[in-house]
């Protein structure tokens, strides 16, 4: 006769209660392990990624996991994964005394290579997402939104450059910038573009908290 305590139901309930940002971090970490690190003998598993995200949720207030903080928490998850690989230590969320990496079978070569890969990914910033094959395929399969935003950004950049050049010319000629017809037209078109971008973002389900900042975000 054998018995054991199972936490499947409890873990499923916890995962179901992750908010949108936490769930996305979990999915991205699983994709990174599967498509980038590609362990051959389950040296690192998606179950370990689940525990990394659960520990994130345990140790930080829920209100810190909002849409704009996604990259921060993804990097935090990558940092935790890198530490687990280096130390071969990752506490099981349900029984913290249990080490999920104890029987990972990691070799020194795997440790060195994966630590280097994860460090490079963290240094890439937002571009780390584009390094994932599934994300790239999704962009190639549906390029229209990317092209549309790129065109709007290019137009905003050109308007910004034209505005600065015209403003300097007005100063040199003693013309008050607010009364110059060309500057007025540039400001009008900039406002038009910002509104177009905001409306599209809203239609696509994006959070637009401050319309006045969209122009600056597009030019970053």
């Amino acid at each position: 006769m054998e018995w054991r305590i199972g936490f499947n139901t409890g873990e499923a309930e916890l995962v179901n209660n992750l908010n949108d940002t936490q769930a996305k971090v979990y999915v991205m970490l699983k994709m990174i392990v599967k498509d980038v690190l590609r362990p051959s003998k389950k040296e690192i598993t998606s179950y370990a990624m689940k525990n990394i995200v659960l520990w994130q949720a345990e140790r930080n207030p829920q209100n810190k996991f909002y849409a704009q903080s996604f990259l921060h928490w993804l990097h935090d998850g990558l940092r935790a994964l890198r530490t687990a690989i280096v130390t071969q230590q990752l506490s099981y969320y349900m029984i913290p005394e249990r080490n999920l990496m104890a029987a990972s079978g990691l070799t020194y070569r795997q440790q060195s290579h994966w630590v280097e890969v994860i460090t490079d990914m963290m240094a890439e910033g937002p571009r780390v997402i584009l390094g994932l094959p599934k994300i790239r395929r999704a962009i190639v399969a549906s390029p229209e939104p990317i092209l549309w935003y790129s065109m709007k950004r290019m137009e905003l950049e050109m308007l910004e450059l034209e505005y600065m050049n015209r403003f300097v010319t007005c100063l040199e000629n003693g013309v008050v910038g607010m009364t110059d017809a060309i500057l007025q037209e540039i400001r009008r078109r900039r406002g038009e573009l910002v509104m177009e971008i905001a409306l599209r973002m809203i239609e696509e389900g994006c959070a637009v908290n401050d319309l006045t900042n969209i122009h600056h975000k597009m030019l970053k």
Side-chain angles (χ1 to χ4, degrees):
M1 298 288 291
E2 294 183 355
W3 63 273
R4 68 174 182 175
I5 298 174
F7 297 101
N8 292 349
T9 302
E11 289 175 4
E13 183 66 19
L14 289 171
V15 171
N16 288 337
N17 280 279
L18 295 175
N19 68 19
D20 185 63
T21 298
Q22 292 165 329
K24 286 177 179 176
V25 171
Y26 178 31
V27 170
M28 291 295 293
L29 287 175
K30 288 200 298 182
M31 289 174 63
I32 287 169
V33 169
K34 180 180 178 182
D35 299 331
V36 179
L37 302 185
R38 297 194 293 270
S40 58
K41 298 178 181 179
K42 296 188 176 180
E43 295 90 344
I44 303 173
T45 65
S46 60
Y47 190 70
M49 301 307 99
K50 180 195 294 185
N51 279 265
I52 286 176
V53 172
L54 290 178
W55 279 120
Q56 277 187 338
E58 174 75 18
R59 293 166 175 162
N60 300 279
Q62 183 82 350
N63 60 12
K64 287 191 174 182
F65 294 90
Y66 50 92
Q68 289 79 9
S69 70
F70 166 72
L71 284 172
H72 167 79
W73 293 114
L74 177 60
H75 276 210
D76 184 75
L78 287 171
R79 191 177 301 111
L81 174 58
R82 183 176 63 182
T83 300
I85 292 171
V86 170
T87 63
Q88 295 196 47
Q89 174 68 43
L90 177 61
S91 294
Y92 177 32
Y93 181 77
M94 305 304 278
I95 307 176
E97 295 78 14
R98 180 186 168 195
N99 178 16
L100 294 178
M101 300 293 290
S104 63
L106 273 169
T107 65
Y108 177 76
R109 183 175 180 179
Q110 284 176 318
Q111 283 179 297
S112 300
H113 175 63
W114 286 343
V115 166
E116 182 180 353
V117 169
I118 294 171
T119 300
D120 289 344
M121 292 180 75
M122 293 173 65
E124 287 179 0
R127 293 192 301 274
V128 65
I129 298 174
L130 298 178
L132 299 174
K134 289 183 181 178
I135 301 296
R136 289 203 304 271
R137 286 197 295 270
I139 292 173
V140 171
S142 182
E144 191 275 332
I146 303 296
L147 292 175
W148 189 87
Y149 282 112
S150 295
M151 290 174 62
K152 297 302 178 184
R153 176 174 177 169
M154 185 180 297
E155 186 175 354
L156 276 173
E157 289 174 341
M158 292 176 67
L159 286 171
E160 190 73 13
L161 181 61
E162 183 62 31
Y163 186 90
M164 294 303 299
N165 290 338
R166 183 66 182 180
F167 188 78
V168 171
T169 300
C170 287
L171 287 178
E172 292 174 348
N173 295 332
V175 178
V176 179
M178 293 296 292
T179 63
D180 184 74
I182 294 178
L183 288 180
Q184 290 178 359
E185 179 60 22
I186 292 174
R187 284 194 293 267
R188 183 198 66 78
R189 179 55 185 157
R190 278 195 318 199
E192 238 177 32
L193 280 171
V194 169
M195 187 56 63
E196 285 179 31
I197 295 164
L199 290 174
R200 175 146 186 173
M201 290 174 69
I202 292 170
E203 288 173 359
E204 293 175 351
C206 299
V208 184
N209 298 322
D210 188 352
L211 300 183
T212 61
N213 288 331
I214 293 177
H215 174 226
H216 300 291
K217 289 179 180 178
M218 290 291 289
L219 292 177
K220 283 183 179 179

